[in-house]
Amino acid sequence: MLRLGQKIIIIADSFEQNLPVGEYGYIIAYDRNADNVFDYVVRIPKINKHFFVCGADIELEEVLIQQEVDRLEREALIDYALSTRNEELFNRIMNGEPQEEEPAETAKEVQSQADFIKQVNLKAWI
């Protein structure tokens, strides 16, 4: 459930109430009536009106911005993979496979300072 005063954007008009799709607004009240399909009362400052809306018709501004960032990041990675002819990266992005991470067993453990200096000296000696 969204908090009062949160900035939202209207993304749909499922009950055809002539909602201004794409406009931002603020949640000013909850509609707690169990017999009603509407969840929130939203104020749209641009047109100076209040609307009853269901939860599916609105989305937080932060969520929409993050979705756009993810989409742009994916497109940039695809462009990079195509320009560098990196077939493995391209296939991983297009198939939606997660990045390969090291298993917990093979993850490197934190070394003490003495062990680190010893390792550096051994590599320097060689």
Side-chain angles (χ1 to χ4, degrees), residues 1-123:
M1 181 162 259
L2 303 173
R3 295 186 336 255
L4 292 177
Q6 280 190 306
K7 188 173 184 179
I8 54 96
I9 295 180
I10 297 178
I11 58 171
D13 188 8
S14 54
F15 294 110
E16 298 180 3
Q17 312 174 69
N18 293 325
L19 293 176
V21 176
E23 292 294 328
Y24 77 94
Y26 297 95
I27 296 177
I28 60 171
Y30 301 117
D31 191 2
R32 299 193 187 275
N33 186 357
D35 296 333
N36 199 345
V37 71
F38 302 114
D39 300 321
Y40 304 102
V41 178
V42 175
R43 169 136 176 89
I44 310 295
K46 186 173 183 179
I47 59 175
N48 199 19
K49 281 190 171 183
H50 298 93
F51 290 100
F52 288 94
V53 296
C54 61
D57 287 348
I58 60 174
E59 189 65 65
L60 285 175
E61 182 183 38
E62 295 87 22
V63 173
L64 292 175
I65 289 172
Q66 185 60 42
Q67 288 174 351
E68 185 67 16
V69 166
D70 292 342
R71 184 186 65 81
L72 289 173
E73 180 180 301
R74 184 173 186 268
E75 288 177 2
L77 281 173
I78 290 172
D79 289 343
Y80 175 76
L82 289 173
S83 66
T84 59
R85 297 182 182 166
N86 188 342
E87 186 176 344
E88 178 186 342
L89 175 64
F90 180 77
N91 289 332
R92 191 172 70 222
I93 294 168
M94 294 307 290
N95 295 333
E97 298 171 5
Q99 294 180 353
E100 297 86 21
E101 296 181 14
E102 291 184 27
E105 302 88 36
T106 61
K108 293 184 179 181
E109 295 185 20
V110 177
Q111 294 180 339
S112 68
Q113 185 177 5
D115 290 339
F116 178 74
I117 292 173
K118 189 179 201 181
Q119 186 178 5
V120 169
N121 288 337
L122 283 175
K123 288 185 179 179

